[in-house]
Amino acid sequence: MFAKKEKRIKYLGFNDFWFMVIGIIILSFVTDYLFSKSFFRLPIIEAIISWSVSLFFTICNWVIIRKVIILLRKKYTKFEDIGKRLVLLFLAIVGTVILVDFIGNKILTLIFKKNYNAQSFSKVLLPVIIISTMTMAIYEAIYYYVRLKKSIREEEQAKQAMVQAELDTLKNQAQPHFLFNTLNTLRDIIDQNSKEDAKEFVDKLSNVYRFILESGNANLTTLRQELKFAQSYIHIQSERFGKNLKANWDIPERALDRMIVPMSLQLLLENAIKHNVVSKAKPLAIHIEVANDCLVVTNKIQPKSTQIPSTKVGLKNIEKRYRLISGKSILIENDKNKFRISIPLLKPSDQKKHHEHTHN
């Protein structure tokens, strides 16, 4: 009956010690009032003795039915078994009330040497069954609520784990994508420049990869940190393109502490360089600014005559990560003359927390 607190919570959904104590006392007075009105028609001593009989029956019914509840919950553990469990519980309540009434009256007759005949079913047992059913329904309602809450929480945790796994996959996509393109750049430098230039490029590349490693476990980073990474990336690309590649930075100080998806700005810069001519005849200027609470990257469209194979990672990667992390989308504009991409600047509170969007 008075099992450990952990077991009570496990099978009942809550610690029911005081619920039992107070409930038994209240129900014993209620049943005494309904059937005997002892405290209204008898002297106090006799009234207490009469009430004790109601208390005895209430304790027996409560303890037995409570034990049945625990046994049923041990046997039918699945959430969808609730219908079967409720039917069996109701049958157990009916059987318990009838059995306790029969045996209890026999015991009381032996103890008090007074004939405690079982009264009619409709007069006593039916009301007791109804009261017991309503009381045990509280147990079921609390247990159902706790199980439902737990089920929703587990489902949301599973969803969040899946989202995080997908984010990790996307981050792991972006990093090899960056490596692939920088190795192509290194190959061009080795072909066209001295060994010293190639060594310097590798040193700068190692600094860039330090950022990638440091931000590898984060879903968001500050614009300040992302700018350092992006500017290092542009510096690396300048080794290849010289003055033919220019980045115009127009970032106000107030925006530097806003959040951004790691490597997103670098991917946008890489996308612009990859798909446009960068030459002395056609220098490429990339403008990076903050507008309408977004980081906006704009470049003139200078399509290459021969497009290099695309890995299809860049923009889709950014779009997916923004959608998974914040539910927000990036904006892509192409008027055949200029290509403009706007990515939202986020606050830490913009990051989705799936368990906060649970509806019971």
Side-chain angles (χ1 to χ4, degrees), residues 72 81-91 140:
L72 288 173
D81 288 336
I82 184 171
K84 186 187 298 183
R85 197 172 66 245
L86 289 177
V87 171
L88 292 173
L89 176 59
F90 178 73
L91 294 175
E140 283 300 322

PDB file of all heavy atoms in Angstrom, residues 72 81-91 140:
ATOM      1  N   LEU A  72      -3.153  -3.594 -13.184  1.00  0.00           N
ATOM      2  CA  LEU A  72      -3.575  -3.396 -14.574  1.00  0.00           C
ATOM      3  C   LEU A  72      -2.558  -2.558 -15.347  1.00  0.00           C
ATOM      4  O   LEU A  72      -2.301  -2.805 -16.530  1.00  0.00           O
ATOM      5  CB  LEU A  72      -4.952  -2.728 -14.622  1.00  0.00           C
ATOM      6  CG  LEU A  72      -6.143  -3.596 -14.217  1.00  0.00           C
ATOM      7  CD1 LEU A  72      -7.420  -2.766 -14.145  1.00  0.00           C
ATOM      8  CD2 LEU A  72      -6.321  -4.756 -15.193  1.00  0.00           C
ATOM      9  N   ASP A  81      -3.670   0.900 -24.694  1.00  0.00           N
ATOM     10  CA  ASP A  81      -4.420  -0.109 -23.930  1.00  0.00           C
ATOM     11  C   ASP A  81      -5.388   0.513 -22.936  1.00  0.00           C
ATOM     12  O   ASP A  81      -5.999  -0.206 -22.138  1.00  0.00           O
ATOM     13  CB  ASP A  81      -3.448  -1.015 -23.158  1.00  0.00           C
ATOM     14  CG  ASP A  81      -2.685  -1.958 -24.069  1.00  0.00           C
ATOM     15  OD1 ASP A  81      -3.193  -2.240 -25.170  1.00  0.00           O
ATOM     16  OD2 ASP A  81      -1.592  -2.400 -23.690  1.00  0.00           O
ATOM     17  N   ILE A  82      -5.553   1.817 -22.975  1.00  0.00           N
ATOM     18  CA  ILE A  82      -6.355   2.506 -21.955  1.00  0.00           C
ATOM     19  C   ILE A  82      -7.800   2.035 -21.946  1.00  0.00           C
ATOM     20  O   ILE A  82      -8.410   1.873 -20.887  1.00  0.00           O
ATOM     21  CB  ILE A  82      -6.276   4.041 -22.144  1.00  0.00           C
ATOM     22  CG1 ILE A  82      -7.030   4.741 -21.005  1.00  0.00           C
ATOM     23  CG2 ILE A  82      -6.818   4.472 -23.508  1.00  0.00           C
ATOM     24  CD1 ILE A  82      -6.832   6.235 -20.981  1.00  0.00           C
ATOM     25  N   GLY A  83      -8.377   1.769 -23.128  1.00  0.00           N
ATOM     26  CA  GLY A  83      -9.768   1.325 -23.184  1.00  0.00           C
ATOM     27  C   GLY A  83      -9.966  -0.002 -22.487  1.00  0.00           C
ATOM     28  O   GLY A  83     -10.883  -0.174 -21.656  1.00  0.00           O
ATOM     29  N   LYS A  84      -9.114  -0.955 -22.775  1.00  0.00           N
ATOM     30  CA  LYS A  84      -9.184  -2.276 -22.153  1.00  0.00           C
ATOM     31  C   LYS A  84      -8.978  -2.163 -20.646  1.00  0.00           C
ATOM     32  O   LYS A  84      -9.675  -2.834 -19.862  1.00  0.00           O
ATOM     33  CB  LYS A  84      -8.107  -3.166 -22.779  1.00  0.00           C
ATOM     34  CG  LYS A  84      -8.161  -4.625 -22.335  1.00  0.00           C
ATOM     35  CD  LYS A  84      -6.969  -5.395 -22.867  1.00  0.00           C
ATOM     36  CE  LYS A  84      -6.940  -5.440 -24.386  1.00  0.00           C
ATOM     37  NZ  LYS A  84      -5.805  -6.259 -24.894  1.00  0.00           N
ATOM     38  N   ARG A  85      -8.034  -1.313 -20.257  1.00  0.00           N
ATOM     39  CA  ARG A  85      -7.736  -1.162 -18.833  1.00  0.00           C
ATOM     40  C   ARG A  85      -8.916  -0.559 -18.070  1.00  0.00           C
ATOM     41  O   ARG A  85      -9.233  -0.980 -16.948  1.00  0.00           O
ATOM     42  CB  ARG A  85      -6.491  -0.287 -18.668  1.00  0.00           C
ATOM     43  CG  ARG A  85      -5.846  -0.399 -17.293  1.00  0.00           C
ATOM     44  CD  ARG A  85      -4.525   0.322 -17.196  1.00  0.00           C
ATOM     45  NE  ARG A  85      -4.674   1.754 -17.330  1.00  0.00           N
ATOM     46  CZ  ARG A  85      -4.191   2.475 -18.321  1.00  0.00           C
ATOM     47  NH1 ARG A  85      -3.510   1.867 -19.279  1.00  0.00           N
ATOM     48  NH2 ARG A  85      -4.373   3.779 -18.387  1.00  0.00           N
ATOM     49  N   LEU A  86      -9.588   0.403 -18.678  1.00  0.00           N
ATOM     50  CA  LEU A  86     -10.731   1.051 -18.016  1.00  0.00           C
ATOM     51  C   LEU A  86     -11.904   0.080 -17.844  1.00  0.00           C
ATOM     52  O   LEU A  86     -12.585   0.103 -16.816  1.00  0.00           O
ATOM     53  CB  LEU A  86     -11.169   2.276 -18.814  1.00  0.00           C
ATOM     54  CG  LEU A  86     -10.226   3.482 -18.769  1.00  0.00           C
ATOM     55  CD1 LEU A  86     -10.743   4.602 -19.653  1.00  0.00           C
ATOM     56  CD2 LEU A  86     -10.050   3.977 -17.334  1.00  0.00           C
ATOM     57  N   VAL A  87     -12.158  -0.740 -18.849  1.00  0.00           N
ATOM     58  CA  VAL A  87     -13.243  -1.737 -18.754  1.00  0.00           C
ATOM     59  C   VAL A  87     -12.964  -2.705 -17.615  1.00  0.00           C
ATOM     60  O   VAL A  87     -13.840  -2.990 -16.774  1.00  0.00           O
ATOM     61  CB  VAL A  87     -13.422  -2.493 -20.090  1.00  0.00           C
ATOM     62  CG1 VAL A  87     -14.390  -3.662 -19.907  1.00  0.00           C
ATOM     63  CG2 VAL A  87     -13.931  -1.555 -21.177  1.00  0.00           C
ATOM     64  N   LEU A  88     -11.733  -3.226 -17.572  1.00  0.00           N
ATOM     65  CA  LEU A  88     -11.359  -4.169 -16.517  1.00  0.00           C
ATOM     66  C   LEU A  88     -11.385  -3.501 -15.145  1.00  0.00           C
ATOM     67  O   LEU A  88     -11.768  -4.138 -14.154  1.00  0.00           O
ATOM     68  CB  LEU A  88      -9.974  -4.750 -16.803  1.00  0.00           C
ATOM     69  CG  LEU A  88      -9.880  -5.669 -18.027  1.00  0.00           C
ATOM     70  CD1 LEU A  88      -8.424  -6.050 -18.304  1.00  0.00           C
ATOM     71  CD2 LEU A  88     -10.725  -6.919 -17.834  1.00  0.00           C
ATOM     72  N   LEU A  89     -11.003  -2.243 -15.096  1.00  0.00           N
ATOM     73  CA  LEU A  89     -11.021  -1.520 -13.822  1.00  0.00           C
ATOM     74  C   LEU A  89     -12.452  -1.362 -13.317  1.00  0.00           C
ATOM     75  O   LEU A  89     -12.725  -1.554 -12.124  1.00  0.00           O
ATOM     76  CB  LEU A  89     -10.368  -0.151 -13.982  1.00  0.00           C
ATOM     77  CG  LEU A  89     -10.399   0.757 -12.743  1.00  0.00           C
ATOM     78  CD1 LEU A  89      -9.705   0.079 -11.558  1.00  0.00           C
ATOM     79  CD2 LEU A  89      -9.761   2.113 -13.041  1.00  0.00           C
ATOM     80  N   PHE A  90     -13.365  -1.023 -14.216  1.00  0.00           N
ATOM     81  CA  PHE A  90     -14.764  -0.857 -13.796  1.00  0.00           C
ATOM     82  C   PHE A  90     -15.333  -2.175 -13.274  1.00  0.00           C
ATOM     83  O   PHE A  90     -16.025  -2.207 -12.250  1.00  0.00           O
ATOM     84  CB  PHE A  90     -15.611  -0.342 -14.962  1.00  0.00           C
ATOM     85  CG  PHE A  90     -17.072  -0.199 -14.617  1.00  0.00           C
ATOM     86  CD1 PHE A  90     -17.500   0.831 -13.788  1.00  0.00           C
ATOM     87  CD2 PHE A  90     -18.005  -1.105 -15.098  1.00  0.00           C
ATOM     88  CE1 PHE A  90     -18.848   0.955 -13.452  1.00  0.00           C
ATOM     89  CE2 PHE A  90     -19.352  -0.988 -14.766  1.00  0.00           C
ATOM     90  CZ  PHE A  90     -19.770   0.047 -13.936  1.00  0.00           C
ATOM     91  N   LEU A  91     -15.049  -3.267 -13.968  1.00  0.00           N
ATOM     92  CA  LEU A  91     -15.512  -4.590 -13.505  1.00  0.00           C
ATOM     93  C   LEU A  91     -14.908  -4.916 -12.144  1.00  0.00           C
ATOM     94  O   LEU A  91     -15.579  -5.506 -11.277  1.00  0.00           O
ATOM     95  CB  LEU A  91     -15.135  -5.662 -14.523  1.00  0.00           C
ATOM     96  CG  LEU A  91     -15.826  -5.578 -15.896  1.00  0.00           C
ATOM     97  CD1 LEU A  91     -15.278  -6.632 -16.838  1.00  0.00           C
ATOM     98  CD2 LEU A  91     -17.339  -5.725 -15.747  1.00  0.00           C
ATOM     99  N   GLU A 140      -7.171   7.759 -12.903  1.00  0.00           N
ATOM    100  CA  GLU A 140      -6.996   7.536 -14.345  1.00  0.00           C
ATOM    101  C   GLU A 140      -6.757   8.843 -15.088  1.00  0.00           C
ATOM    102  O   GLU A 140      -5.956   8.900 -16.014  1.00  0.00           O
ATOM    103  CB  GLU A 140      -8.215   6.807 -14.923  1.00  0.00           C
ATOM    104  CG  GLU A 140      -8.252   5.335 -14.626  1.00  0.00           C
ATOM    105  CD  GLU A 140      -7.044   4.595 -15.195  1.00  0.00           C
ATOM    106  OE1 GLU A 140      -6.593   4.919 -16.305  1.00  0.00           O
ATOM    107  OE2 GLU A 140      -6.539   3.695 -14.496  1.00  0.00           O
TER     108      GLU A 140
END
